[in-house]
Amino acid sequence: DQQVKQNSPSLSVQEGRISILNCDYTNSMFDYFLWYKKYPAEGPTFLISISSIKDKNEDGRFTVFLNKSAKHLSLHIVPSQPGDSAVYFCAASVRGAGGTSYGKLTFGQGTILTVHP
Amino acid sequence: ETGVTQSPTHLIKTRGQQVTLRCSSQSGHNTVSWYQQALGQGPQFIFQYYREEENGRGNFPPRFSGLQFPNYSSELNVNALELDDSALYLCASSWRGGGRGRTDTQYFGPGTRLTVL
């Protein structure tokens, strides 16, 4: 049961343009969402997060949008740079609950972003 | 501020053997989570340790076990290795407040690449 899905395995954009990475989820209990970037042979690097009480969070070139009714979030990178080329993972967690769900991140399969100079 | 470190970087074992992977959490963090990332997939939650006790487990058999030490570092032990255990093992640390306080964003180490022959 894939609770977090990234349906686009790859995305290619031109330097300076906008990159939009998408993520869908099925578990309505998720209340905290994160995006991570991963380079080969490195661990995931935290980019940006959003709580379910918000619909937008911005940090420099990165903006995450959350549409709770559609159970959809997206990451916008503007402008895209060649150094942004990496695998991007969205992840979700249930922060408001205790018990054994606590602190567990559920990840999507990842989207490979390639930014061409 | 020291980030999350993991050792060893790479490891080759044969089927049936046992392996121990180590993780040092980021300074100021008290919670450690372990994830398994198979090739082409997103990380899968194994378990989390808080206050030296397992606090939540994913869909992994009991031959996957762990420890957390008073300095918040952690070990992941895998017994009776199988070929499918070949993967990148990621450790992530975070801060969790007392009681039912929320777990903050998880920060990942570089991972240990385990190959089982």
Side-chain angles (χ1 to χ4, degrees):
Chain A
D1 176 26
Q2 192 74 28
Q3 296 188 58
V4 177
K5 292 184 181 179
Q6 294 175 256
N7 292 317
S8 298
S10 63
L11 175 67
S12 181
V13 300
Q14 208 67 31
E15 181 179 7
R17 299 290 188 102
I18 184 171
S19 295
I20 300 176
L21 298 111
N22 294 302
C23 180
D24 296 297
Y25 62 95
T26 57
N27 188 345
S28 57
M29 296 295 292
F30 288 143
D31 59 2
Y32 189 56
F33 304 89
L34 309 91
W35 284 94
Y36 287 86
K37 176 173 72 174
K38 188 178 184 301
Y39 295 117
E42 293 184 13
T45 301
F46 169 71
L47 279 176
I48 193 169
S49 62
I50 188 167
S51 165
S52 59
I53 63 173
K54 296 185 176 182
D55 53 19
K56 177 183 174 181
N57 189 27
E58 198 170 351
D59 184 1
R61 296 186 298 115
F62 302 92
T63 303
V64 56
F65 295 92
L66 176 62
N67 183 333
K68 290 185 292 293
S69 60
K71 294 191 177 66
H72 176 83
L73 66 155
S74 61
L75 175 68
H76 293 209
I77 306 173
V78 184
S80 300
Q81 300 173 354
D84 295 330
S85 298
V87 180
Y88 287 77
F89 291 98
C90 69
S93 71
V94 182
R95 282 206 309 182
T100 58
S101 297
Y102 200 98
K104 169 185 174 181
L105 289 181
T106 300
F107 283 84
Q109 309 95 306
T111 296
I112 302 170
L113 173 64
T114 304
V115 181
H116 299 283
Chain B
E1 185 179 86
T2 307
V4 179
T5 60
Q6 292 185 243
S7 63
T9 306
H10 296 88
L11 205 50
I12 299 175
K13 292 284 188 178
T14 56
R15 198 169 46 180
Q17 285 189 310
Q18 178 266 343
V19 68
T20 297
L21 310 181
R22 294 178 175 82
C23 171
S24 291
S25 60
Q26 183 169 313
S27 58
H29 287 179
N30 61 2
T31 303
V32 173
S33 303
W34 286 92
Y35 293 81
Q36 179 195 68
Q37 185 179 16
L39 210 58
Q41 301 295 317
Q44 298 287 316
F45 177 75
I46 302 175
F47 43 52
Q48 182 182 83
Y49 276 83
Y50 170 64
R51 290 184 174 176
E52 302 176 48
E53 291 188 357
E54 186 181 294
N55 177 71
R57 169 179 279 265
N59 189 25
F60 283 83
R63 60 188 185 86
F64 285 77
S65 63
L67 287 172
Q68 186 181 32
F69 300 99
N71 66 353
Y72 307 125
S73 66
S74 177
E75 286 182 354
L76 165 65
N77 299 291
V78 187
N79 294 321
L81 283 167
E82 300 177 0
L83 297 179
D84 285 348
D85 295 334
S86 295
L88 179 68
Y89 287 85
L90 295 162
C91 166
S93 74
S94 56
W95 165 256
R96 177 177 174 178
R100 293 169 66 92
R102 297 178 304 182
T103 299
D104 207 346
T105 299
Q106 295 181 25
Y107 294 88
F108 284 82
T112 294
R113 173 69 62 187
L114 173 65
T115 302
V116 182
L117 302 176

